C-alpha cells in the first residue's frame, strides 16, 4: 500500500507562492557593479549584462547588523563566488558521467569526475575571494579564514576522502596580512570566518540531476570550535524552539516541541526532510506512524536546511517543508546550512554520530539506526580533540561565538533546484556568448533573496571557460620535462602563479600544514593518499616539481 506521507521531492516538487519583490538592475547599477568587481570579472573576461534580485523573505531578525559585510564589495563578492563557481561546473562538469557509455560508469569514474567538479568549484570560489581581498582600499581591508569545510573524510566503499576543497586553514587577503596571520594584526584589518561546501550534491552534479549547488558563508563571527568531519544527527526547524536533549526524548516528542514553534497544536501538520538512506528508514517509519510527512531526496541535505519554514514554500498537498527530525548527514553541511537558518529565525541541534557504523553494508536499517553512536576509537579521539565529549548535543552557539555578527551566505545553482523553484541551473548561450546563473542569498539580518544574473563573455564562452579551468586540467596531460616546463611558466606569470597556488592548496591540503603564508609538506601523507586512491602518480610528480620550482612556499618537509 503506498505511503502518502513519504515522497521523493523530485516527484512532488515544492512551489513558491509567497512574497516576491523584484529589483531589476538599470544601466547605472550594472555599470556600478561591473566597476566594483572589475578585477574579478576581468580574470574571466566577463561583464554582468543583466541582474534581477527577488526578495523573498524580508522579516528582519532585529538581532544583527551587517557588520563588516556592510561593505558592498565584500558582500557581493560572496555572491559572485557562489555564482562563478557554479558557472564553471555548469559549463564543464555538469552531467559529465552521463557522457560515458553505461557500462563504463563505474564508481571509480564517478569519483574522479566528482573530484574534478569539486576542484573546479573550489578554484573559482577561492580566486574570487582572493582577488576581492587584494583590491580593498586601506581602512576597509579584510582577512578571510576558512574554518569549516566538507570533503575531507573517507567514505568507505564510496570515496577515498581528501576531495579538492577550500580547506580549513586557507587564508585570503593581501600578502602582508597573510604573513601576519596568527600574530598581532592591524586594527584596520577585519578577520572574517568562512564555511563552505564547494558543491552540495556532487553526485547530482556529475549526473546532471536537480538541486546541485555551490555553498559558502562569510561571517564576522569567530569559529571557536571545529566540527569533526564525521556524521551529525540533526534536529532543525524553520521556527525557533526551546533547546532539548535529543537523548532524553523520542522522535515524536521532538516533533511536538518543534510543532509549538510553528503554532501547531498537532505535530501531524509537520514535514521532516530526510536523505533517502537505509539508516533513516526506522526514523521515517516512526514519524509516518504519527502522521508526520517525510519528504526525501537522493542526495544533498544542505539546501533543505536553509529554506525550512520559508513562508509560501509548499508541496502540492499544501504542506510546507518544516523540519529535520533525526536526519543524519555531514558536519560541514550542518554548519553551512544552520547559520542562515538561524539568521531567518530557525533553530537547530546536532549530535555527532559514527560514520564508520552508519556506512556498514552488513547491517539492516534497524541495526544501522541503533549503531549510530557506536564510535570507533579514531572517531572518539576526534570528538575529544574537538571538546565535544562532555555535551550530548550542540547548537550553532557552540561552534560560532556570535552567530548574529555580520555575515552573508550564498548558494549558486548548478542545476535547477526543486527545493527553491526560482533557482535555475546554469544556462549557456554559446551563440551569443552569454551565461546565466541563479544565486540564493541569506544575510545576517535574515533577508532572503534570489539573484538572477546574466554575464556576457567579452571574447567568447570558450575563452571564459579556458580562463576558469583549474591548472590541473592541463597538467595531467603532461609529464617529465614538459610538465616541469609548464609548471615553471605558470610560476613566472603573476596571475597564473596565484591560480597555481590556490590549486595546490586546494588539491593537496591533507598533506600540508599551513604556517601563515608558507607550508610544511608531509611526504608520507602524500604516499598514503596515493595508496588509498585519493591522489595518483601524476600528483607525486606535480608536488615534487613544485617543491623544486617554488621552494620559497615551503618551510621544510618530513
Amino acid at each position: 500500500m503506498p505511503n502518502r506521507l513519504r515522497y521523493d521531492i523530485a516527484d512532488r516538487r515544492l512551489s513558491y507562492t509567497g512574497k516576491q519583490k523584484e529589483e531589476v538592475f538599470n544601466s547605472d547599477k550594472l555599470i556600478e557593479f561591473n566597476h566594483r568587481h572589475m578585477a574579478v570579472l576581468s580574470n574571466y573576461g566577463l561583464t554582468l549584462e543583466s541582474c534581477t534580485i527577488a526578495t523573498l523573505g524580508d522579516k528582519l531578525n532585529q538581532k544583527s547588523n551587517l557588520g563588516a559585510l556592510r561593505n558592498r564589495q565584500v558582500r557581493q563578492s560572496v555572491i559572485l563566488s557562489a555564482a562563478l563557481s557554479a558557472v564553471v561546473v555548469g559549463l564543464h562538469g555538469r552531467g559529465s558521467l552521463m557522457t560515458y557509455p553505461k557500462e563504463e560508469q563505474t564508481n571509480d569514474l564517478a569519483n574522479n569526475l566528482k573530484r574534478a567538479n569539486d576542484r573546479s568549484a573550489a578554484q573559482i570560489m577561492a580566486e574570487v575571494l582572493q582577488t576581492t581581498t587584494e583590491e580593498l582600499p586601506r581602512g576597509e581591508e579584510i582577512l578571510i579564514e576558512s574554518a569549516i569545510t566538507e570533503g575531507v573524510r573517507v567514505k568507505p566503499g564510496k570515496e577515498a576522502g581528501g576531495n579538492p576543497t577550500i580547506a580549513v586553514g586557507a587564508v585570503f587577503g593581501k600578502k602582508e596580512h597573510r604573513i601576519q596571520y596568527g600574530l598581532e594584526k592591524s586594527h584596520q584589518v577585519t578577520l572574517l570566518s568562512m564555511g563552505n561546501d564547494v558543491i552540495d550534491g556532487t553526485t547530482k552534479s556529475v549526473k546532471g540531476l536537480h538541486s546541485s549547488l555551490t555553498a559558502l558563508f562569510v561571517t564576522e563571527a569567530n569559529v571557536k570550535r571545529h566540527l569533526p568531519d564525521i556524521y551529525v544527527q540533526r534536529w532543525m526547524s524553520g521556527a525557533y524552539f526551546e533547546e532539548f536533549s535529543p537523548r532524553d526524548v523520542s522522535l515524536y516528542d521532538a516533533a511536538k516541541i518543534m510543532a509549538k514553534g510553528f503554532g501547531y497544536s498537532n505535530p501531524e501538520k509537520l514535514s521532516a526532510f530526510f536523505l533517502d538512506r537505509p539508516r533513516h528508514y526506522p526514523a521515517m517509519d516512526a514519524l509516518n506512524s504519527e502522521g508526520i510527512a517525510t519528504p526525501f531526496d537522493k542526495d544533498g541535505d544542505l539546501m533543505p536546511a536553509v529554506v525550512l519554514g520559508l513562508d509560501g514554500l509548499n508541496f502540492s498537498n499544501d504542506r510546507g517543508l518544516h523540519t529535520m527530525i533525526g536526519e543524519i548527514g555531514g558536519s560541514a553541511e550542518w554548519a553551512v546550512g544552520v547559520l542562515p537558518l538561524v539568521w531567518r529565525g530557525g533553530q537547530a541541534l546536532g549530535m555527532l554520530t559514527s560514520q564508520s557504523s552508519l556506512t556498514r553494508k552488513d547491517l539492516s536499517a534497524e541495526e544501522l539506526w541503533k549503531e549510530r553512536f557506536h564510535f570507533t576509537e579514531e572517531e572518539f579521539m576526534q570528538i575529544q580533540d574537538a571538546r565535544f565529549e562532555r555535551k550530548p548535543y550542540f547548537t550553532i552557539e557552540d561552534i560560532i561565538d556570535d552567530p548574529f555578527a555580520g555575515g552573508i551566505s550564498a548558494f549558486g545553482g548548478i542545476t535547477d533546484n526543486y527545493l527553491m523553484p526560482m533557482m535555475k541551473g546554469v544556462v549557456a548561450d554559446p551563440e551569443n556568448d552569454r551565461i546565466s546563473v541563479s544565486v540564493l542569498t541569506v544575510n545576517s539580518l535574515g533577508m532572503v533573496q534570489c539573484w538572477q544574473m546574466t554575464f556576457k563573455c567579452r571574447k567568447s564562452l570558450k575563452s571564459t571557460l579556458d580562463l576558469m579551468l583549474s591548472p590541473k586540467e592541463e597538467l595531467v596531460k603532461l609529464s617529465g620535462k614538459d610538465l616541469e616546463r609548464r609548471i615553471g611558466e605558470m610560476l613566472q606569470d603573476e596571475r597564473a602563479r596565484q591560480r597555481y597556488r590556490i590549486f595546490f592548496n586546494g588539491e593537496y591540503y591533507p598533506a600540508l600544514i599551513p604556517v601563515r603564508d608558507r607550508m610544511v609538506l608531509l611526504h608520507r601523507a602524500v604516499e598514503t593518499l596515493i595508496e588509498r586512491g585519493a591522489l595518483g602518480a601524476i600528483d607525486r610528480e606535480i608536488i615534487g616539481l613544485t617543491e623544486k620550482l617554488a621552494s620559497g612556499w615551503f618551510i621544510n618537509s618530513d
Side-chain angles (χ1 to χ4, degrees):
M1 183 176 180
N3 183 349
R4 63 181 181 81
L5 293 173
R6 190 179 301 188
Y7 40 86
D8 190 331
I9 66 164
D11 300 325
R12 193 177 297 180
R13 304 181 195 179
L14 286 154
S15 60
Y16 181 77
T17 57
K19 293 180 181 179
Q20 190 166 336
K21 181 181 178 181
E22 289 193 350
E23 175 194 359
V24 180
F25 276 25
N26 59 25
S27 58
D28 288 342
K29 282 188 174 291
L30 289 171
I31 291 170
E32 180 185 352
F33 185 97
N34 285 312
H35 178 73
R36 183 180 296 124
H37 303 286
M38 183 186 303
V40 168
L41 296 173
S42 295
N43 285 341
Y44 312 113
L46 291 171
T47 300
L48 183 67
E49 187 174 69
S50 66
C51 181
T52 300
I53 303 174
T55 300
L56 311 178
D58 56 2
K59 294 189 298 185
L60 305 186
N61 58 43
Q62 305 300 323
K63 296 180 180 181
S64 176
N65 57 53
L66 291 176
L69 276 298
R70 66 187 178 277
N71 182 312
R72 190 171 296 180
Q73 184 174 1
V74 175
R75 193 167 69 249
Q76 290 180 350
S77 74
V78 178
I79 298 169
L80 261 181
S81 190
L84 297 183
S85 56
V87 163
V88 69
V89 178
L91 294 178
H92 187 60
R94 182 177 57 191
S96 54
L97 182 64
M98 311 316 291
T99 63
Y100 290 82
K102 187 71 175 178
E103 62 273 13
E104 295 181 19
Q105 294 177 19
T106 63
N107 188 52
D108 285 345
L109 175 63
N111 284 335
N112 285 337
L113 295 174
K114 287 164 66 175
R115 292 180 69 88
N117 281 1
D118 280 338
R119 180 181 300 116
S120 296
Q123 183 78 30
I124 301 303
M125 191 177 284
E127 285 180 14
V128 172
L129 297 176
Q130 179 57 38
T131 300
T132 299
T133 56
E134 288 178 347
E135 292 294 312
L136 295 173
R138 187 176 296 275
E140 297 180 26
E141 295 157 311
I142 62 172
L143 197 63
I144 302 175
E145 176 199 19
S146 176
I148 295 170
T149 196
E150 198 274 341
V152 180
R153 66 183 181 272
V154 177
K155 299 179 181 179
K158 290 190 174 182
E159 295 181 11
N163 294 6
T165 190
I166 300 176
V168 170
V171 177
F172 304 107
K174 294 179 179 178
K175 185 173 182 179
E176 60 266 32
H177 302 147
R178 297 197 310 267
I179 291 172
Q180 290 298 309
Y181 174 71
L183 304 175
E184 186 175 351
K185 62 180 177 60
S186 167
H187 295 297
Q188 293 181 323
V189 180
T190 302
L191 180 62
L192 303 180
S193 300
M194 172 187 178
N196 76 87
D197 184 357
V198 292
I199 300 180
D200 182 55
T202 321
T203 300
K204 286 180 173 180
S205 76
V206 299
K207 292 184 176 180
L209 301 177
H210 68 89
S211 309
S212 177
L213 50 95
T214 60
L216 75 157
F217 70 75
V218 172
T219 174
E220 198 168 356
N222 172 54
V223 177
K224 59 185 179 182
R225 183 181 297 182
H226 297 297
L227 275 170
D229 195 18
I230 57 178
Y231 284 176
V232 169
Q233 188 170 13
R234 57 200 77 195
W235 290 260
M236 298 182 173
S237 174
Y240 182 81
F241 59 84
E242 295 296 329
E243 283 186 34
F244 60 88
S245 175
R247 282 192 179 274
D248 298 334
V249 301
S250 67
L251 292 170
Y252 184 61
D253 288 336
K256 288 192 289 186
I257 293 170
M258 293 182 181
K260 290 180 182 178
F262 288 99
Y264 296 158
S265 59
N266 190 334
E268 288 184 9
K269 295 181 180 181
L270 290 179
S271 66
F273 175 89
F274 285 87
L275 284 178
D276 185 17
R277 302 287 188 272
R279 63 178 179 259
H280 293 142
Y281 296 164
M284 296 169 81
D285 289 340
L287 293 171
N288 291 160
S289 70
E290 300 291 351
I292 298 168
T294 55
F296 62 85
D297 198 0
K298 303 294 184 184
D299 188 25
D301 55 0
L302 193 158
M303 181 55 74
V306 175
V307 300
L308 290 177
L310 185 64
D311 290 342
L313 191 65
N314 296 292
F315 291 103
S316 56
N317 58 8
D318 292 329
R319 193 186 295 246
L321 183 65
H322 301 107
T323 65
M324 294 187 194
I325 306 175
E327 198 267 347
I328 301 169
S331 59
E333 293 93 326
W334 185 90
V336 177
V338 166
L339 191 57
L341 174 67
V342 169
W343 287 339
R344 289 185 42 242
Q347 168 70 311
L349 308 176
M351 292 179 66
L352 297 175
T353 59
S354 173
Q355 176 185 306
S356 62
S357 296
L358 289 166
T359 52
R360 287 178 60 178
K361 302 298 184 184
D362 59 333
L363 300 180
S364 67
E366 290 75 17
E367 290 170 322
L368 287 171
W369 182 255
K370 291 178 181 178
E371 292 289 310
R372 65 191 186 280
F373 300 120
H374 188 180
F375 298 106
T376 64
E377 182 179 359
E378 181 182 357
E379 287 172 332
F380 192 64
M381 288 173 64
Q382 287 182 282
I383 292 170
Q384 288 181 312
D385 184 58
R387 306 188 309 281
F388 276 108
E389 73 275 13
R390 291 186 178 273
K391 189 174 183 183
Y393 69 92
F394 51 87
T395 66
I396 196 67
E397 286 85 0
D398 292 307
I399 311 301
I400 295 176
D401 62 2
D402 181 7
F404 289 98
I408 187 169
S409 58
F411 310 91
I414 297 170
T415 58
D416 289 356
N417 198 288
Y418 289 0
L419 291 137
M420 183 53 66
M422 66 282 301
M423 280 187 72
K424 303 301 179 184
V426 172
V427 176
D429 179 2
E431 291 185 4
N432 296 295
D433 295 313
R434 289 180 173 85
I435 311 162
S436 297
V437 62
S438 302
V439 181
L440 186 78
T441 71
V442 184
N443 68 22
S444 53
L445 301 174
M447 182 173 291
V448 183
Q449 295 181 324
C450 187
W451 290 54
Q452 307 284 355
M453 311 172 80
T454 297
F455 296 93
K456 172 70 175 177
C457 303
R458 297 175 189 172
K459 290 185 178 179
S460 68
L461 193 147
K462 181 182 182 304
S463 174
T464 289
L465 179 57
D466 288 342
L467 291 169
M468 286 183 151
L469 293 179
S470 165
K472 193 171 185 181
E473 296 273 344
E474 181 180 357
L475 298 181
V476 294
K477 302 171 186 176
L478 305 173
S479 63
K481 291 296 184 182
D482 290 334
L483 180 62
E484 181 174 359
R485 176 186 53 78
R486 188 65 188 111
I487 291 175
E489 290 171 349
M490 290 180 177
L491 294 173
Q492 289 301 312
D493 178 84
E494 183 178 354
R495 164 71 180 149
R497 183 183 180 90
Q498 183 190 83
R499 298 197 79 233
Y500 187 87
R501 179 72 179 262
I502 286 173
F503 146 70
F504 195 89
N505 289 347
E507 189 81 12
Y508 304 122
Y509 66 90
L512 301 175
I513 300 175
V515 182
R516 292 194 283 278
D517 205 34
R518 299 174 73 191
M519 54 189 138
V520 176
L521 178 62
L522 307 175
H523 289 99
R524 282 173 288 183
V526 172
E527 294 306 316
T528 299
L529 290 163
I530 292 173
E531 287 172 12
R532 76 178 195 222
L535 299 178
I538 184 63
D539 295 293
R540 185 190 292 116
E541 193 173 0
I542 290 171
I543 290 168
L545 289 171
T546 305
E547 281 187 284
K548 174 183 175 181
L549 299 173
S551 58
W553 290 359
F554 305 93
I555 294 175
N556 57 19
S557 54
D558 64 345

